[in-house]
Amino acid sequence: KAGVTQTPRYLIKTRGQQVTLSCSPISGHRSVSWYQQTPGQGLQFLFEYFSETQRNKGNFPGRFSGRQFSNSRSEMNVSTLELGDSALYLCASSPGWGASGETQYFGPGTRLLVL
Amino acid sequence: QKEVEQNSGPLSVPEGAIASLNCTYSDRGSQSFFWYRQYSGKSPELIMSIYSNGDKEDGRFTAQLNKASQYVSLLIRDSQPSDSATYLCAVNKDNFNKFYFGSGTKLNVKP
């Protein structure tokens, strides 16, 4: 099976702009989670989508949003970018049918630099 | 208090030795536990999961879980230079796929 794919892999934006990142999960997986990874804060959970619905949300401001399509592909959007949004954004997929704690498989990530 | 705590390291061990990585978590209701390995510039890759108290072995890796002490560990036997990476502990609190990650322990295996 093909793994999790993320596009684009690298992105440079300026403060105030917005950005959209894309994630395609492993075929058959219905759950997509997004994480932000920075050297200072580590890996932090943003949100999880399952069957086009946000099922979980982390403690990030409303500038961070996401959605999932009927084919399970997911996008996340960050509006009004700030310098502190520079990070590696990781997408992880899992089957989604379990009650909790399914094994998640990570994509290669999108590295975002905000200038 | 952080949900998941790990010593940031670096932990240095000679090739062939046993590397012991530790993780503590704050929520006694946590249900499932994972160890991921992350090479520099790469995304995390799953090493193993553990759900019940005790040991779980997979090749050179052994995960140990003690829910009473809220403690998870990973032992790597016969450590190889290729094991040099950051090891992330992840915990799920029975809330679908919302995971909390530790900050990771950097392991250096010296030839």
Side-chain angles (χ1 to χ4, degrees), chain A residues 26-99:
Chain A
I26 292 170
S27 177
H29 284 190
R30 301 282 297 276
S31 168
V32 174
S33 297
W34 288 90
Y35 293 85
Q36 181 196 66
Q37 187 174 33
T38 58
Q41 298 297 319
L43 253 174
Q44 292 186 285
F45 175 82
L46 280 155
F47 29 65
E48 181 208 7
Y49 284 87
F50 174 76
S51 290
E52 302 177 64
T53 301
Q54 188 180 86
R55 194 162 65 171
N56 264 306
K57 191 177 188 305
N59 297 322
F60 278 81
R63 299 186 297 108
F64 292 82
S65 62
R67 59 177 176 168
Q68 187 179 35
F69 302 95
S70 59
N71 62 357
S72 295
R73 189 177 70 86
S74 177
E75 289 181 346
M76 69 162 281
N77 184 276
V78 188
S79 62
T80 320
L81 284 166
E82 300 176 0
L83 295 179
D85 296 332
S86 295
L88 178 66
Y89 289 88
L90 291 160
C91 163
S93 83
S94 63
W97 300 109

Side-chain angles (χ1 to χ4, degrees), chain A residues 31 33 35 37 43 45 48 55-58 88 90 94 96 98-108 111, chain B residues 2 31-32 34 36 38 41-46 49 51 88 92-99 101-103:
Chain A
S31 168
S33 297
Y35 293 85
Q37 187 174 33
L43 253 174
F45 175 82
E48 181 208 7
R55 194 162 65 171
N56 264 306
K57 191 177 188 305
L88 178 66
L90 291 160
S94 63
S100 66
E102 293 179 322
T103 296
Q104 294 192 316
Y105 299 90
F106 283 87
R111 191 164 294 280
Chain B
K2 289 186 176 181
Q31 296 289 322
S32 47
F34 299 80
Y36 284 86
Q38 188 174 26
K42 302 293 185 181
S43 61
E45 55 179 334
L46 180 73
S49 60
Y51 300 88
L88 300 166
N92 178 271
K93 300 198 294 184
D94 195 23
N95 189 5
F96 297 111
N97 288 321
K98 183 174 184 177
F99 285 83
F101 280 80
S103 56

Side-chain angles (χ1 to χ4, degrees), chain B residues 39-93:
Chain B
Y39 292 110
S40 181
K42 302 293 185 181
S43 61
E45 55 179 334
L46 180 73
I47 297 176
M48 56 195 310
S49 60
I50 186 166
Y51 300 88
S52 304
N53 276 329
D55 295 0
K56 179 180 178 183
E57 187 175 317
D58 184 1
R60 296 186 297 114
F61 299 94
T62 298
Q64 299 175 316
L65 174 61
N66 184 327
K67 289 187 176 181
S69 300
Q70 295 173 236
Y71 178 93
V72 193
S73 65
L74 180 70
L75 300 178
I76 307 175
R77 290 181 299 281
D78 188 24
S79 294
Q80 301 297 309
S82 59
D83 294 327
S84 297
T86 296
Y87 289 79
L88 300 166
C89 172
V91 174
N92 178 271
K93 300 198 294 184

Side-chain angles (χ1 to χ4, degrees), chain B residues 11 13 17-21 74-79 107 109:
Chain B
L11 173 66
V13 300
I18 295 175
S20 178
L21 305 162
L74 180 70
L75 300 178
I76 307 175
R77 290 181 299 281
D78 188 24
S79 294
L107 173 66
V109 180

